[in-house]
Amino acid sequence: MKNLMILCAMLTLSSSIAAQNNQFPTTTDFTELTDTKPHDNEAVWNKLPATLQFSWGNTNVRYPKLSIPDVTKSTRWQTDAWKGERINAQAVLWTKTNIEDVTVNVSDLKNGSTVIPSSAISTNFVRYVMTDELNKDRKGACGERANKAEWDSSIVADMLDIIKVRDIKARTTQPVWVNIWVPQDAKAGKYKGTLTVSGKDIAPVNLQIEVNVLNRTLPAPKDWAFHLDLWQNPYAVARFYNVPLWSKEHFDAMRPVMKMLADAGQKIITTSIMHKPWAGQTEDHFDSMVFRMKNLDGSWTFDYTIFDKWVEYMMNEIGIDQQINCYTMIPWALKFDYFDQATNRIQFVEAKPGEADYEDYWGSFLKDFSRHLRQKGWFDKTTIAMDERGLEAMQEAIKVIRNADPEFKISLAGNYHKEIEPELYDYCLGYGNNFPADIKAAREKAGKISTVYTCCAEPFPNTFTFSAPAEATWIGWHAMAGNYDGYLRWAYNSWTADPLRDSRFRTWAAGDCYIVYPERSSIRMEHLIEGIQDYEKIRILREELAAKNNKSKLDKLNKLVSQFTPEGLAETQKDPTAMVEEARKELNKF
């Protein structure tokens, strides 16, 4: 075990050294990158009154930074909400003069003597990040993007900042995001309050908030049926915050971003059981959370210290505890690491599924892993996970898994293969693919998970930083329309080199690698949560209407949902944003 201790110390030291060149602002203000796109000139801005302009806007619009926003000025925002629901609003301020020390405050929302406290309401300045575009053929966003000059880049509003005091420069627009998490025990009725913007040497300006809380209740996120699987990257957090991997500082730094994920109803903990399961496709590659050592006599020793620390942290401190997905037995590069006691160094096994060396490497591990998981009480929560792997390779890997422990659960995100479908507990299909109706029904009866995913291949719907915000909400409706149990996205927080300012990456379209920022949510993430909440509302309403045998209302609800498919979209020819806005209003009428 001395070799193990030396190696762990070396890995921690190298991770700390590698992080030292990354010093980014987190709780202090920073300068956004320059927007080179055409915008309103000084003459246009000078037509404005001298006073600060402040109005409610639309959450489905990313307002340009250097142009006067296209809004119909409104001082009152009205909306409906279920108890327990998170609702969003967007206000916009713009000015032709510099304003220092701008702050935004919100009052309690009152309904007689009943109150939604201001502590249940968050306000965030919306910040601008650099983005790019779809591929030139507009059919997707996959492929190398080494030369950023080849792509049409611009800045877009997306990040919800944690900085509470800002200077607003002359001739700029500054959106403000408002999120209200209605308490589950709130009394039904109309709640009213005020949003106030203040600054140095200006009179405060108010906007009115009016929330009509309906007599319906959403369960807490941990109890949502929606199976959300956004892949976490703890290595990106260590690099960004310049802290040693798996140190107390590392876990402290991860807490805000992982808590946001738990509050979205996340069900799965992402773990890596080999070095570079995706061949280092992100700014920060995944290391193995399991240490393997081949002993002098050819036997194997496995150490689960890191794996256990990560899983226990996510379960006990963050509250994500339903499932553990372990990646992967079939990586992009078929090279498998281990520490060799005979040579006192890291070595690699190069073997394909079906070969003897492959079975020896993985079979030995899986037998011991099964023992360890059962000892920890995690076996029934764990899947051996693969993504986008071919049928033949999957069949060979499944043989090894079943030989090690026939009761292991297996997951796959990829194409539909009827030959291995019965073997897969958690099966996720790419957008545009569906489970046969009888297969989906059988999977549901067996308690299996059947979901859908999007990646760089889909121009729509998606969560790129240039995607229309409503696309993320559309995804939740699509999951219900396609009879899926939830949604998977491969990257929750695989941050770029400068994630607060530049969402572009050397591969794939901007924003593909992450949907939240360090300590900060995004317009995309909040819209995704809206879609998940809508999924839960539809599920609850369907159960209620079916129990009451209210066929007319149930048919109306199902018709509303059915348009959120590729076929429904083609048939209606509706603008997706308009679809979302109309459907969400109708949903609150049931």
Side-chain angles (χ1 to χ4, degrees):
M1 298 307 274
K2 181 179 179 182
N3 287 325
L4 185 151
M5 292 172 63
I6 293 171
L7 182 64
C8 289
M10 291 173 61
L11 290 173
T12 300
L13 179 61
S14 64
S15 298
S16 179
I17 293 172
Q20 285 179 4
N21 290 326
N22 281 300
Q23 299 288 344
F24 293 108
T26 55
T27 57
T28 57
D29 208 347
F30 55 91
T31 302
E32 297 163 356
L33 297 180
T34 302
D35 193 0
T36 59
K37 291 295 181 181
H39 54 82
D40 290 344
N41 59 33
E42 187 173 351
V44 173
W45 278 96
N46 283 341
K47 294 178 182 178
L48 290 176
T51 54
L52 172 71
Q53 304 297 298
F54 195 35
S55 173
W56 287 113
N58 186 324
T59 58
N60 291 319
V61 176
R62 299 186 190 275
Y63 292 98
K65 178 181 179 180
L66 300 179
S67 292
I68 297 171
D70 183 12
V71 296
T72 301
K73 290 195 73 173
S74 171
T75 59
R76 186 172 64 164
W77 170 61
Q78 297 173 292
T79 193
D80 294 330
W82 286 28
K83 302 172 186 180
E85 183 180 0
R86 285 169 64 172
I87 54 174
N88 297 300
Q90 185 170 210
V92 194
L93 64 87
W94 63 103
T95 176
K96 72 175 183 181
T97 60
N98 292 321
I99 302 178
E100 298 179 3
D101 300 335
V102 175
T103 61
V104 179
N105 294 287
V106 64
S107 70
D108 293 338
L109 307 185
K110 296 182 178 180
N111 173 21
S113 60
T114 308
V115 172
I116 296 176
S118 59
S119 59
I121 308 171
S122 62
T123 60
N124 305 87
F125 292 114
V126 181
R127 302 300 296 271
Y128 291 83
V129 298
M130 190 65 73
T131 190
D132 49 29
E133 60 177 340
L134 291 170
N135 293 346
K136 303 304 180 184
D137 62 7
R138 316 300 291 177
K139 294 180 179 179
C142 303
E144 292 293 327
R145 297 186 172 214
N147 183 3
K148 292 180 180 178
E150 294 179 356
W151 301 91
D152 187 17
S153 295
S154 60
I155 62 168
V156 292
D158 187 59
M159 186 181 74
L160 306 185
D161 207 352
I162 58 175
I163 295 168
K164 296 303 181 184
V165 182
R166 293 208 67 223
D167 294 339
I168 308 300
K169 291 185 178 180
R171 297 182 295 280
T172 60
T173 290
Q174 175 58 70
V176 174
W177 197 264
V178 180
N179 179 277
I180 304 171
W181 198 335
V182 180
Q184 286 184 299
D185 60 356
K187 178 182 175 183
K190 286 187 178 180
Y191 291 76
K192 297 180 180 181
T194 304
L195 182 74
T196 303
V197 62
S198 306
K200 185 178 180 181
D201 299 327
I202 66 166
V205 183
N206 296 327
L207 297 179
Q208 303 307 311
I209 299 172
E210 189 173 300
V211 178
N212 182 32
V213 177
L214 305 175
N215 197 25
R216 291 190 175 277
T217 306
L218 272 179
K222 65 182 179 61
D223 298 321
W224 291 346
F226 191 95
H227 195 81
L228 181 63
D229 182 11
L230 304 181
W231 295 2
Q232 312 101 56
N233 187 341
Y235 304 94
V237 180
R239 182 262 304 173
F240 182 87
Y241 287 99
N242 188 22
V243 293
L245 271 170
W246 314 121
S247 63
K248 180 183 182 301
E249 293 79 10
H250 183 202
F251 285 108
D252 288 345
M254 287 192 287
R255 191 167 289 106
V257 73
M258 297 307 165
K259 279 289 189 184
M260 281 193 288
L261 185 57
D263 286 344
Q266 173 77 7
K267 298 295 188 285
I268 296 178
I269 304 168
T270 307
T271 70
S272 47
I273 55 173
M274 62 161 291
H275 179 65
K276 289 188 176 181
W278 298 284
Q281 69 171 336
T282 51
E283 185 72 23
D284 308 281
H285 70 257
F286 287 71
D287 287 326
S288 178
M289 295 179 181
V290 177
F291 176 76
R292 296 167 169 84
M293 182 166 68
K294 195 165 192 177
N295 302 312
L296 291 173
D297 62 1
S299 63
W300 292 92
T301 296
F302 304 97
D303 186 278
Y304 303 101
T305 302
I306 298 302
F307 179 89
D308 291 353
K309 284 182 71 173
W310 170 237
V311 171
E312 287 168 355
Y313 169 80
M314 291 294 281
M315 285 187 173
N316 301 333
E317 294 194 39
I318 303 302
I320 299 172
D321 60 4
Q322 182 168 308
Q323 191 170 318
I324 308 164
N325 279 10
C326 305
Y327 293 94
T328 177
M329 284 179 63
I330 317 177
W332 293 8
L334 293 168
K335 293 177 64 176
F336 307 102
D337 65 297
Y338 66 96
F339 183 81
D340 183 47
Q341 198 174 44
T343 59
N344 202 40
R345 64 183 60 192
I346 297 291
Q347 302 284 9
F348 289 87
V349 172
E350 295 192 36
K352 299 176 182 178
E355 295 179 350
D357 286 348
Y358 181 91
E359 184 168 1
D360 174 63
Y361 181 92
W362 283 108
S364 300
F365 164 71
L366 290 171
K367 289 175 184 176
D368 193 74
F369 195 37
S370 170
R371 173 201 60 78
H372 179 73
L373 291 169
R374 291 179 186 277
Q375 186 180 61
K376 298 290 289 187
W378 298 340
F379 184 83
D380 290 337
K381 296 176 180 284
T382 301
T383 78
I384 307 302
M386 274 72 69
D387 77 294
E388 297 185 336
R389 301 297 88 184
L391 175 60
E392 185 176 338
M394 283 295 302
Q395 288 173 322
E396 293 297 336
I398 289 170
K399 289 178 186 176
V400 176
I401 296 169
R402 294 290 174 240
N403 286 336
D405 190 324
E407 296 182 344
F408 257 125
K409 292 177 178 176
I410 304 171
S411 68
L412 171 66
N415 294 330
Y416 181 73
H417 301 292
K418 64 179 182 181
E419 298 87 345
I420 60 173
E421 179 276 323
E423 297 281 1
L424 302 175
Y425 166 75
D426 183 346
Y427 203 171
C428 186
L429 303 183
Y431 175 76
N433 297 279
N434 292 91
F435 293 93
D438 59 332
I439 296 296
K440 177 60 172 69
R443 292 182 61 80
E444 188 171 340
K445 186 176 180 180
K448 295 181 176 180
I449 305 299
S450 310
T451 59
V452 65
Y453 73 94
T454 61
C455 61
C456 62
E458 285 77 36
F460 169 91
N462 227 309
T463 57
F464 305 123
T465 39
F466 56 79
S467 297
E471 289 186 31
T473 308
W474 202 97
I475 288 169
W477 284 78
H478 172 65
M480 181 58 79
N483 195 27
Y484 302 104
D485 299 326
Y487 174 69
L488 176 153
R489 193 86 173 62
W490 77 273
Y492 173 64
N493 70 304
S494 284
W495 295 323
T496 55
D498 186 2
L500 296 180
R501 302 190 305 162
D502 194 346
S503 67
R504 297 173 299 178
F505 189 56
R506 58 180 175 268
T507 321
W508 313 299
D512 191 47
C513 297
Y514 63 107
I515 192 169
V516 297
Y517 300 80
E519 300 180 56
R520 299 154 169 87
S521 187
S522 68
I523 289 177
R524 296 173 290 154
M525 185 65 180
E526 296 306 317
H527 274 273
L528 181 62
I529 293 169
E530 281 186 350
I532 295 170
Q533 291 182 141
D534 291 345
Y535 180 103
E536 291 298 305
K537 287 182 178 182
I538 296 162
R539 176 185 62 80
I540 292 167
L541 289 168
R542 278 179 169 175
E543 291 174 359
E544 177 186 300
L545 295 172
K548 293 180 177 179
N549 199 28
N550 192 333
K551 187 175 183 302
S552 61
K553 272 197 170 183
L554 185 58
D555 287 346
K556 182 180 179 181
L557 177 61
N558 289 337
K559 184 177 181 181
L560 181 68
V561 173
S562 66
Q563 62 184 315
F564 288 87
T565 62
E567 300 78 15
L569 189 64
E571 181 180 337
T572 62
Q573 294 291 299
K574 287 185 179 178
D575 172 73
T577 298
M579 285 175 63
V580 167
E581 290 179 340
E582 293 170 12
R584 299 195 78 232
K585 287 179 182 177
E586 287 298 314
L587 190 58
N588 281 330
K589 295 178 182 178
F590 281 90

